[in-house]
Amino acid sequence: MSRGSSPEEIKKAYRKLAKQLHPDSNPGNKAAEERFKRVTAAFDILGDAEKKAKFDRGEIDADGREQMRGFGGRGAPFGQGGGARTTFEDIDLEDIFGGMFGGGAARGGGRGFAARGQDVRATLEISLEEAILGATRRIQFSDGRMLDVTIPRGAADGQTVRLRGQGSPGRGGPAGDALIELRLAPHPLFVRDGADLAMDLAVPLADAVLGGKVAVRTPDGTVNLTVPRGSNSGQVMRLKGRGAFAGGLRGDLKVRLMVMLPDSEDPGLVKLAEGLRSRAG
């Protein structure tokens, strides 16, 4: 048969093979049973004009699915009752249907079959700093390939990065793409508040009372924050433009001051506190 075989010719070829390979005709023959499954699955696509057209264009895989998920690039198994994982990639279509997919064309003569390769998907967990500032990360696929993924500046949780041509190989057509979904990992210090970030900052008592500069960790690195004289716990200060991104704009870092007493008892501080208490009473 040729690539342009009629539905009747396809059905005739299927019935002939199905009769030969049916389990009733081959009791205990596992190889014939698996081949019967593959032929039946192939006919489900080839015997439906709309499905066949979509398959020819690479719009569906051998299981009839519009989008394959996972890294194998070989589709899902035909049937659900166990047995080997089989796809059109595993089937010698020329052997099954007389070269109707153009298998003979590859060896000279006629127009060959062409289909775009399947897309493959992966999830990559990134830090808040990588999401804000951008970065390059390396990811390994199940087939052993290593790819560098460029995380764009201001990346959002759930955003997908597309690596064109890095998916499954095509069958006479272009390769599919690799789709990398970015997942933002929880941060031990910062809490998101829209485009802003919030954090607690321990401030020594002396700096809170007298004022001073305290080192603050930000997504861009460490900076010095000027603590005003007479600051109290719970007071919030803003570092402009040191937050996260939302809508393409970067927010602020909100720093909540937490005044800390010395680790050990200070006699002078105790005397001062006693004096304050007596005056207040």
Side-chain angles (χ1 to χ4, degrees):
M1 289 190 298
S2 67
R3 181 182 176 85
S5 297
S6 67
E8 290 74 20
E9 291 173 314
I10 294 173
K11 186 179 296 185
K12 182 179 179 180
Y14 165 69
R15 286 177 174 173
K16 179 180 178 180
L17 283 168
K19 184 177 180 180
Q20 295 173 355
L21 300 170
H22 196 281
D24 289 347
S25 302
N26 301 272
N29 188 334
K30 292 295 184 181
E33 180 180 349
E34 292 304 320
R35 187 168 172 79
F36 174 78
K37 291 179 181 179
R38 295 199 296 271
V39 170
T40 301
F43 178 69
D44 182 59
I45 299 292
L46 303 181
D48 185 304
E50 183 177 353
K51 288 183 180 179
K52 181 177 181 297
K54 287 184 177 181
F55 182 77
D56 286 347
R57 294 191 298 267
E59 296 175 3
I60 61 174
D61 61 15
D63 211 22
R65 296 176 178 174
E66 293 187 2
Q67 189 169 6
M68 188 279 292
R69 301 181 68 88
F71 299 113
R74 299 301 185 190
F78 291 119
Q80 300 298 323
R85 294 177 63 89
T86 54
T87 70
F88 277 152
E89 318 301 329
D90 302 321
I91 303 171
D92 186 343
L93 293 172
E94 182 182 14
D95 178 44
I96 292 177
F97 285 109
M100 62 173 299
F101 273 129
R107 291 183 291 275
R111 183 179 62 181
F113 169 76
R116 179 181 179 276
Q118 296 288 345
D119 292 340
V120 296
R121 293 181 178 271
T123 299
L124 177 64
E125 187 174 75
I126 61 174
S127 69
L128 178 63
E129 289 86 350
E130 289 173 328
I132 293 173
L133 304 175
T136 299
R137 289 277 302 279
R138 179 159 290 190
I139 186 171
Q140 183 173 11
F141 285 78
S142 59
D143 60 5
R145 288 184 303 141
M146 302 288 290
L147 292 178
D148 288 330
V149 181
T150 299
I151 302 166
R153 179 180 173 86
D157 184 44
Q159 180 175 338
T160 297
V161 175
R162 181 182 294 270
L163 304 180
R164 297 195 179 277
Q166 297 298 328
S168 298
R171 299 178 59 210
D177 300 334
L179 305 176
I180 314 299
E181 183 178 2
L182 304 179
R183 284 297 180 187
L184 195 58
H187 201 279
L189 180 62
F190 304 118
V191 177
R192 294 269 321 236
D193 181 14
D196 294 335
L197 295 176
M199 65 173 290
D200 291 339
L201 177 68
V203 178
L205 178 61
D207 289 329
V209 173
L210 303 174
K213 292 187 179 294
V214 180
V216 181
R217 175 183 170 184
T218 78
D220 305 85
T222 300
V223 301
N224 287 322
L225 174 68
T226 300
V227 177
R229 185 183 183 92
S231 294
N232 287 319
S233 283
Q235 184 175 339
V236 176
M237 303 185 69
R238 283 182 178 265
L239 291 174
K240 295 289 187 181
R242 298 281 185 169
F245 281 90
L249 300 176
R250 191 168 184 185
D252 304 330
L253 175 58
K254 298 186 293 186
V255 181
R256 184 172 65 171
L257 305 182
M258 306 297 289
V259 179
M260 307 297 292
L261 293 175
D263 293 334
S264 59
E265 184 176 293
D266 185 325
L269 182 59
V270 172
K271 185 175 181 179
L272 174 63
E274 290 173 343
L276 291 173
R277 176 182 287 177
S278 64
R279 287 197 298 269

